[in-house]
Amino acid sequence: MASSTDLTVRADAPSAALQGALRLPHVPDWRRLLPGLALSAALAGAGMALGRIEWLAAHGLSALTLAIVLGMLVGNTVYPRLAATSGPGVTVSKQNLLRLGIILYGLRLTVQDIGHVGLAGVVVDALVLGSTFLLACWVGTRWLGLDRHSAMMIGAGSAICGAAAVMAAEPVVKARAEQVTVAVATVVVFGTLSIFLYPVLFDLNQHWGVIGGGARGFGLYAGSTIHEVAQVVAAARSISPEAADTAVIAKMVRVMMLAPFLLLLSGWLARDAARPAGPRAPGKGAKAKITVPWFAFGFVAVVLLNSLQWLPASATAAATGIDTGLLAMAMAALGLSTHFSAIRKAGAKPLLLALILFAWLLAGGALINHWVPLLLG
């Protein structure tokens, strides 16, 4: 006869399996989530309010960036005294709300965006993304001796769409909070530098003629190489409205590549995990376990839905606002979980890697933007 303990385990098994499938923390009382959710929401709201300040917006400091900064300030001052009660809600914010935020991020994109930049624009974005990420992995691990997770996080932020890409890649790479925060910090530093540098490069390009197509051609260059969407807008608007329009569309196409990137990254990591570290007996091969980023499929589905233009503009605007809040909560929660001592321990190597990638985006991105339109006509 089964003991009462056995019966209890069997009764709880379906619940445990369901929680594992949904990736929810085991929280007996949902009220335990409220303090952490409230704290994350308060910091997110403050970041969104600061993001509306004209001077900060003009310098490419978005609500997400400001939310993580506020989170880090609170996380390294008063939060240690609140961690016992706020921890469960903060964990939900930086994991579950993040995935939901990435899915709703698709409301900013449509398939029609691809047509606005043409085949050349898509190829340019793909080449910039792939070359930047592979360069990050190679230089970061082979030359600088960084761990692979840090190199991948910095590479994702530089190659795709800044902080949003870093956060989206984190569940696949399984990076630590300080690694994610360092990667976001590099996006802030070099993306902000881009805002002031690209208008100067545009003036120089008027004389050198490296990138053809005038303001629109340079807009494609900006959209395919600058880190954050907000930074793309700030830099391109300083050039001309034509450059800004093309830059934003090119950036949106680059963001759309986030989903296939996550799927390829998951397969790559699974293959490496299955590779033997040494000799093994015949028939003892390891099986690759792919971590499927299901939220990436949700992201694609929302993009497709948005492309059909079935949703009223007011509903899309409201959902986009909610999405910004969710992502800001995730960033604030990440900041709360990050300690300055861990960032200091990372040293100068992550910043050096980001600098190398920034130089590649400037020079290599210019060459890609020069040759691809010529080759594809």
Side-chain angles (χ1 to χ4, degrees):
M1 179 181 293
S3 66
S4 59
T5 303
D6 292 334
L7 292 175
T8 301
V9 171
R10 290 170 187 172
D12 289 345
S15 175
L18 179 61
Q19 287 195 352
L22 295 177
R23 296 181 182 177
L24 291 173
H26 180 67
V27 182
D29 189 347
W30 63 269
R31 287 172 293 185
R32 289 183 58 195
L33 301 177
L34 292 181
L37 291 175
L39 179 58
S40 299
L43 293 172
M48 294 169 68
L50 291 173
R52 297 188 189 100
I53 297 176
E54 186 176 348
W55 186 88
L56 294 174
H59 289 79
L61 295 175
S62 66
L64 302 187
T65 300
L66 295 166
I68 193 172
V69 170
L70 292 175
M72 290 175 66
L73 292 176
V74 175
N76 286 272
T77 52
V78 300
Y79 180 68
R81 294 192 292 271
L82 307 174
T85 56
S86 301
V90 169
T91 299
V92 168
S93 293
K94 70 179 182 180
Q95 293 182 0
N96 303 87
L97 296 188
L98 166 66
R99 292 179 174 89
L100 181 57
I102 295 298
I103 291 172
L104 292 179
Y105 199 83
L107 290 171
R108 292 169 165 83
L109 309 169
T110 66
V111 175
Q112 289 83 358
D113 290 335
I114 298 176
H116 292 141
V117 298
L119 177 61
V122 175
V123 173
V124 165
D125 277 339
L127 289 176
V128 170
L129 189 161
S131 62
T132 303
F133 185 75
L134 292 175
L135 183 65
C137 295
W138 186 53
V139 172
T141 57
R142 297 291 182 85
W143 286 11
L144 299 179
L146 287 170
D147 63 275
R148 188 170 64 168
H149 290 176
S150 294
M152 286 183 172
M153 289 292 96
I154 296 170
S158 299
I160 311 173
C161 52
V166 173
M167 296 292 286
E170 183 272 332
V172 178
V173 177
K174 298 180 176 63
R176 299 190 304 274
E178 62 269 18
Q179 293 171 326
V180 178
T181 303
V182 168
V184 172
T186 64
V187 169
V188 174
V189 171
F190 293 104
T192 302
L193 181 58
S194 299
I195 297 172
F196 303 100
L197 182 59
Y198 273 66
V200 176
L201 293 177
F202 175 73
D203 292 335
L204 293 175
N205 188 65
Q206 297 287 83
H207 301 287
W208 295 347
V210 176
I211 301 168
R216 292 189 180 277
F218 197 85
L220 176 59
Y221 168 60
S224 63
T225 55
I226 297 178
H227 301 67
E228 288 268 11
V229 176
Q231 295 158 353
V232 168
V233 173
R237 280 182 180 172
S238 300
I239 297 171
S240 72
E242 294 81 8
D245 290 344
T246 307
V248 170
I249 293 171
K251 184 63 179 177
M252 290 297 97
V253 172
R254 192 167 152 210
V255 172
M256 204 178 299
M257 295 177 179
L258 177 62
F261 166 80
L262 293 176
L263 295 174
L264 291 172
L265 179 60
S266 179
W268 182 20
L269 291 175
R271 184 201 64 180
D272 282 359
R275 187 176 296 165
R280 63 187 181 190
K284 300 292 185 180
K287 293 183 179 180
K289 182 180 179 181
I290 298 178
T291 303
V292 179
W294 294 109
F295 62 93
F297 291 101
F299 171 81
V300 172
V302 171
V303 171
L304 295 176
L305 175 64
N306 194 42
S307 302
L308 298 174
Q309 298 181 348
W310 288 349
L311 297 176
S314 58
T316 301
T320 302
I322 293 172
D323 177 54
T324 300
L326 292 173
L327 291 175
M329 286 181 67
M331 296 295 275
L334 175 65
L336 289 170
S337 308
T338 303
H339 302 289
F340 288 139
S341 58
I343 297 178
R344 287 195 300 269
K345 187 178 179 181
K349 289 182 178 180
L351 194 64
L352 178 57
L353 174 59
L355 174 61
I356 293 171
L357 297 180
F358 182 56
W360 167 251
L361 288 169
L362 292 175
L367 292 176
I368 292 172
N369 276 269
H370 173 79
W371 284 110
V372 169
L374 291 178
L375 295 174
L376 296 180

